[in-house]
């Protein structure tokens, strides 16, 4: 019983602020306070009229797609190596890959910044991608590890035995079987990158990402409802992406009759 | 004409094949010829290197030393996907995202057949393993026995020179396993392809094989046909692994010609033929004789025999329905002996503690150095 009360309180504490977003996004008033003043879609309309915002959205999308693709490719290599081969120092290497999961993002951000400045490299979209790949890879590896682990090692050998090459048996057998994991990893990495603020804040050059742009707008009180509207859309997009990711993973597991090994969620 | 190995023409020739995994030697010099069209089994306890040898033949492991040729061709430079062998994996390795027909037809992808020809051959292969009409099923939804048949059809569709099977029946329940043993044997005669079967089940090996290589510890201990293997095992280790055998200490001295004299405490002195010493006799070494439970018999009241007789007491028994296994202790023998008796009509089952006579025959003894 005590545990249930705790769980309910925890969920309220966690999600109440997010519930406030749509409430004020549709509230007809510039001041974020109760009582509500009436219903409006004005703030959403205003969103469509800010070129700087559109630039930030485009920038964020490019960064998120690049980070997702790179992190997932690296994740595939790491997960395959981890589940298929025995090599010295495997535990240590895997631990190192998973490290950013528990490292405060600010530390990742600052240390990357220091290194980049030391090397005299210019900041820009690619440096943000670099940082995001670093924090996305652990998620990608975790998801893909479970996808690769549920594969019978003999499957690829059976394909080779039937005349295929190493690469074609990977493409024909392994790839389709881990595809749900790959899609899941792409979507989750994309979402992480899209929402990420601290690394983007430190490493972005002159073109801000969406969260960085949003943060900039908070200085202007009259723009807060617009920010709320934008936040509502972001939350909606994130929830949809994560739900799709989990759906794809589960459906893939069911279709091939594999045991659900429990992915990220 | 068959030569001394009993095969017409070798399809697989293994010569001093060794395999190291790091420091561990999994194969310690395997030399053997496997005949064309033969049903050949690799039999041995778990971990003795059977799978390693099978995978070496398939091309998934490269031997650390020695030579392997298949159909007269040296295989050292031939990768697994170009060898004239196909394999039924222990896990069956059915591709779970493909249908039964796509699984079975997988090996035909590279032969650029017309669609009709392709489905005709898939249909034939499925028919052959008794799965006609199953083509459109999802492979992951099949039962264990059906998966095993799909794996068979998939491996046989390319008409390999050699079919390799790694414990294909060990995952099935007993009834199904016995059915599949007979079916596999029939299938092998029908297609005429050389089958190399890995198994740890000695009964399965005896039932199915033309010849059996018994392996221990990365080496072949004996390679023979099932009857020779059962009746004339070359060592106590082999004898112990195949069926049940009683062992008694013995003293032996070779005589002129083919005769060997043995003295067995409890049974007495016997003359045996040199053929009954398949491992060879090494003078001065402590020897033992082996005697199978079914070659001895309990003499029931009033029964007479030409064979030799010894006195014994029934210590324990196990009633199997068709057979009764008696554990008896003979006068002057330390170890208990097992004797199996068919439960014929009118034949009683003796109680524990019964004094009885036991008949035995010197011709069924095997002498181990
Ligand atoms: N890839 C490998 N790496 C290291 N050792 C192995 C490998 N494969 C097999 N072995 C070892 O080689 C021995 C023989 O294995 P295996 O051929 O699978 O035995 P069997 O099939 O007779 O049970 C075992 O002790 C096993 O641990
Ligand atoms: Mg094995």
């Amino acid at each position: 019983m005590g545990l249930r009360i705790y769980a309910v309180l925890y969920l309220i504490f966690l999600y109440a602020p997010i519930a406030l977003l749509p409430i004020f996004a549709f509230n007809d008033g510039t001041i974020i306070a109760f009582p509500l003043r009436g219903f409006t879609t004005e703030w959403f309309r205003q969103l469509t009229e800010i070129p700087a915002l559109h630039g930030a959205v485009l920038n964020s999308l490019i960064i998120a797609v690049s980070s997702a693709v790179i992190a997932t490719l690296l994740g595939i290599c790491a997960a395959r190596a981890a589940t298929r081969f025995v090599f010295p120092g495997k535990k240590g290497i895997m631990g190192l890959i998973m490290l950013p999961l528990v490292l405060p993002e600010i530390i990742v951000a600052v240390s990357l910044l220091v290194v980049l400045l030391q090397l005299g490299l210019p900041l820009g979209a690619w440096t943000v991608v670099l940082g995001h790949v670093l924090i996305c890879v652990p998620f990608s590896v975790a998801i893909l590890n479970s996808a690769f682990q549920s594969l019978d090692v003999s499957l690829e050998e059976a394909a080779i035995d039937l005349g295929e090459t190493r690469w074609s048996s990977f493409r024909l057998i392994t790839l389709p079987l881990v595809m749900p994991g790959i899609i899941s990893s792409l979507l989750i990495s994309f979402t992480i990158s899209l929402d990420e603020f601290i690394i983007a804040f430190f490493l972005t050059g002159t073109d801000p990402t969406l969260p960085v742009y949003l943060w900039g707008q908070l200085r202007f009180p009259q723009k807060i409802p617009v920010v709320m509207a934008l936040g509502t859309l972001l939350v909606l997009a994130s929830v949809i992406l994560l739900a799709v990711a989990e759906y794809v993973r589960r459906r893939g597991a069911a279709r091939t009759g594999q045991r659900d090994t429990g992915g990220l969620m | 004409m068959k030569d001394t190995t009993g095969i017409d023409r070798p399809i697989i020739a293994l010569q001093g094949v060794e395999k190291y995994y790091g420091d561990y030697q999994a194969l310690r010099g395997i030399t053997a010829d496997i005949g064309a069209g033969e049903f050949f089994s690799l039999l041995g306890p778990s971990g003795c290197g059977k799978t390693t040898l099978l995978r070496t033949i398939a091309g998934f492991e490269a031997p650390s030393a020695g030579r392997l040729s298949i159909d007269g061709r040296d295989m050292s430079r031939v990768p697994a996907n170009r060898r004239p062998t196909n394999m039924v994996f222990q896990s069956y390795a059915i591709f779970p995202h493909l249908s039964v027909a796509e699984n079975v037809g997988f090996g035909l992808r590279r032969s650029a057949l017309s669609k009709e020809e392709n489905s005709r051959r898939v249909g034939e292969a499925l028919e052959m393993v008794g799965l006609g009409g199953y083509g459109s099923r999802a492979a992951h939804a099949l039962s264990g026995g059906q998966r095993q048949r799909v794996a068979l059809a998939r491996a046989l569709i390319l008409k390999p020179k050699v079919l390799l099977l790694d414990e294909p029946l060990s995952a099935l329940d007993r009834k199904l396993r016995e059915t599949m043993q007979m079916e596999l044997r029939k299938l092998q005669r029908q297609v005429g392809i050389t089958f190399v079967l890995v198994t740890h089940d000695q009964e399965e090996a005896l039932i199915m094989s033309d010849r059996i290589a018994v392996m221990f510890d990365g080496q072949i201990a004996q390679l023979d046909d099932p009857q020779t293997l059962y009746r004339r095992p070359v060592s106590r280790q082999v004898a112990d692994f195949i069926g049940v055998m009683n062992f008694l200490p013995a003293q032996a001295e070779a005589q002129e010609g083919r005769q060997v004299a043995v003295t067995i405490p409890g049974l007495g002195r016997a003359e045996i033929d040199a053929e009954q010493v398949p491992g060879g006799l090494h003078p001065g070494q402590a020897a033992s004789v082996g005697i199978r439970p079914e070659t001895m018999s309990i003499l029931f009241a009033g029964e007479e025999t030409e064979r030799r007789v010894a006195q014994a007491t029934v210590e324990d028994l196990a009633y199997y329905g068709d057979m009764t296994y008696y554990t008896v202790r003979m006068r002057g023998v330390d170890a208990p002996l097992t004797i199996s008796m068919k439960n014929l009509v009118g034949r009683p089952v003796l109680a524990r503690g019964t004094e009885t006579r036991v008949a035995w025959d010197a011709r069924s003894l095997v002498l181990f150095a």
Side-chain angles (χ1 to χ4, degrees):
Chain A
M1 194 59 207
L3 196 65
R4 184 175 298 172
I5 293 171
Y6 170 77
V8 170
L9 285 178
Y10 176 80
L11 287 176
I12 289 173
F13 188 70
L14 198 64
Y15 289 111
I18 294 174
L20 290 179
L21 273 178
I23 293 176
F24 287 103
F26 289 106
N27 183 32
D28 190 5
T30 49
I31 297 168
I32 306 301
F34 289 104
L36 300 176
R37 310 258 313 260
F39 180 82
T40 183
T41 53
E42 168 64 16
W43 314 122
F44 286 92
R45 197 192 55 73
Q46 279 190 18
L47 280 181
T48 63
E49 291 174 348
I50 312 168
L53 168 66
H54 300 165
V57 168
L58 188 66
N59 201 21
S60 262
L61 285 178
I62 292 171
I63 288 172
V65 168
S66 316
S67 307
V69 169
I70 297 172
T72 302
L73 283 177
L74 293 177
I76 291 173
C77 299
R80 186 178 156 85
T83 53
R84 190 60 62 97
F85 307 111
V86 187
F87 48 90
K90 178 163 134 178
K91 275 220 172 96
I93 292 170
M94 290 314 287
L96 220 55
I97 290 176
M98 303 307 274
L99 191 62
L101 211 53
V102 291
L103 223 53
E105 266 183 41
I106 184 105
I107 291 182
V108 177
V110 171
S111 33
L112 263 177
L113 185 64
V114 169
V115 171
L116 289 169
L117 291 181
Q118 281 292 319
L119 292 174
L121 295 169
L123 297 182
W126 79 271
T127 49
V128 181
V129 169
L130 191 70
H132 284 181
V133 165
L134 208 63
I135 57 165
C136 286
V137 161
F139 289 92
S140 174
V141 169
I143 294 165
L144 289 166
N145 244 345
S146 88
F148 273 95
Q149 233 148 34
S150 61
L151 277 191
D152 176 0
V153 192
S154 307
L155 286 174
E156 264 184 45
E157 283 183 348
I160 292 172
D161 188 60
L162 293 165
E164 298 297 332
T165 60
R166 252 168 210 293
W167 164 243
S168 69
S169 62
F170 177 76
R171 187 171 56 79
L172 291 165
I173 305 301
T174 306
L175 211 51
L177 287 172
V178 297
M179 193 47 87
I182 290 176
I183 291 173
S184 178
S185 157
L186 282 173
L187 291 175
I188 285 173
S189 301
F190 179 86
T191 311
I192 291 172
S193 167
L194 196 66
D195 292 347
E196 201 283 331
F197 173 73
I198 299 175
I199 290 175
F201 180 73
F202 275 83
L203 298 183
T204 198
T206 46
D207 306 322
T209 64
L210 189 55
V212 175
Y213 170 82
L214 262 179
W215 183 81
Q217 297 305 297
L218 291 176
R219 276 174 294 167
F220 313 110
Q222 74 279 15
K223 287 198 180 154
I224 287 182
V226 180
V227 171
M228 288 284 195
L230 191 58
T232 305
L233 292 181
L234 275 180
V235 168
L236 199 64
S238 302
V239 168
I240 290 174
L241 283 175
L242 291 179
V244 169
E246 183 60 8
Y247 171 75
V248 167
R249 201 188 60 76
R250 287 201 185 162
R251 201 195 50 166
R255 199 170 44 123
T256 53
Q258 289 165 9
R259 207 161 32 85
D260 194 336
T261 47
L264 203 61
M265 277 162 282
Chain B
M1 219 16 239
K2 295 196 170 193
D3 64 11
T4 47
T5 60
I7 57 173
D8 297 325
R9 175 174 72 86
I11 188 92
I12 296 177
L14 296 154
Q15 238 167 50
V17 171
E18 296 180 19
K19 176 71 189 175
Y20 282 90
Y21 291 115
D23 285 340
Y24 181 76
Q25 192 174 10
L27 297 178
R28 302 165 178 267
I30 302 284
T31 299
D33 284 344
I34 299 175
E38 190 174 29
F39 200 123
F40 190 92
S41 290
L42 296 170
L43 172 66
S46 169
C48 72
K50 308 178 296 287
T51 298
T52 303
L53 183 54
L54 202 70
R55 289 172 56 82
T56 304
I57 297 172
F60 293 121
E61 308 285 353
S64 314
R67 280 165 42 89
L68 160 69
S69 57
I70 300 178
D71 205 18
R73 253 181 88 204
D74 181 63
M75 285 289 130
S76 51
R77 288 170 179 281
V78 184
N81 56 345
R82 299 197 184 282
R83 294 198 181 182
T85 59
N86 282 117
M87 183 139 163
V88 174
F89 289 81
Q90 188 162 16
S91 63
Y92 306 148
I94 302 293
F95 307 133
H97 57 307
L98 302 181
S99 71
V100 168
E102 286 168 328
N103 262 282
V104 173
F106 193 87
L108 300 176
R109 283 173 46 84
R110 304 229 149 198
S111 29
L113 300 175
S114 71
K115 230 179 155 163
E116 294 74 42
E117 177 66 7
N118 194 84
S119 57
R120 192 185 62 74
R121 285 188 54 184
V122 169
E124 264 178 23
L126 281 172
E127 213 62 65
M128 182 174 65
V129 296
L131 281 183
Y134 279 69
S136 56
R137 298 255 185 123
H140 68 81
L142 300 176
S143 71
Q146 289 168 335
R147 294 159 76 81
Q148 202 254 346
R149 287 163 197 262
V150 171
L152 256 178
R154 185 177 71 180
L156 282 172
I157 202 165
L158 287 171
K159 306 197 164 75
K161 295 207 164 93
V162 179
L163 184 72
L164 308 168
L165 306 107
D166 192 358
E167 312 227 8
L169 308 178
S170 61
L172 307 179
D173 63 60
R174 192 191 161 104
K175 270 259 154 48
L176 188 55
R177 189 163 65 228
E178 284 169 1
T179 315
M180 285 310 298
Q181 284 169 357
M182 301 319 285
E183 276 193 39
L184 258 184
R185 185 72 246 235
K186 220 171 92 190
L187 186 67
Q188 192 269 336
R189 287 208 197 92
Q190 186 188 323
V191 296
I193 290 172
T194 308
F195 278 29
V196 180
L197 174 85
V198 160
T199 180
H200 64 263
D201 179 344
Q202 45 96 15
E203 206 173 79
E204 183 169 294
L206 289 176
I207 293 171
M208 297 171 76
S209 324
D210 293 317
R211 285 195 310 150
I212 301 169
V214 180
M215 288 179 67
F216 294 114
D217 224 0
Q219 279 174 314
I220 294 181
Q222 187 170 6
L223 200 175
D224 262 313
D225 62 274
Q227 286 195 35
T228 310
L229 202 58
Y230 186 81
R231 296 182 51 227
R232 301 286 181 245
V234 295
S235 67
R236 275 185 71 146
Q237 201 180 18
V238 173
D240 218 13
F241 194 73
I242 313 273
V244 181
M245 189 170 259
N246 297 300
F247 296 104
L248 296 171
Q251 268 126 40
E253 68 247 27
Q255 296 185 333
E256 309 90 70
R258 297 190 49 81
Q259 294 295 303
V260 178
V262 235
T263 313
I264 312 155
L267 293 183
R269 195 178 157 82
E271 296 270 316
I272 62 172
D273 193 86
E275 176 199 293
Q276 289 168 258
V277 198
L281 195 60
H282 307 279
Q285 263 184 357
S288 60
V289 292
I291 182 160
R292 296 274 184 202
E294 70 278 5
T295 63
M296 293 189 286
S297 41
I298 303 266
L299 290 177
F300 294 93
E303 253 183 288
E304 287 311 323
T305 183
E306 307 272 278
R307 297 189 290 166
R308 305 198 33 187
V309 176
Q311 286 293 323
T313 312
V314 175
E315 253 193 15
D316 206 353
L317 66 144
Y319 178 75
Y320 278 79
D322 58 337
M323 306 282 287
T324 304
Y325 280 78
Y326 292 97
T327 306
V328 304
R329 200 171 280 273
M330 298 215 256
R331 237 166 257 160
V333 181
D334 288 339
L337 295 182
T338 302
I339 300 177
S340 65
M341 295 297 292
K342 244 199 170 82
N343 291 329
L344 301 178
V345 181
R347 186 177 271 180
V349 174
L350 299 182
R352 285 183 191 84
T354 312
E355 294 280 336
T356 183
R357 289 172 304 146
V358 166
W360 63 280
D361 195 320
R363 284 172 305 174
S364 66
L365 296 178
V366 189
L367 185 67
F368 302 109

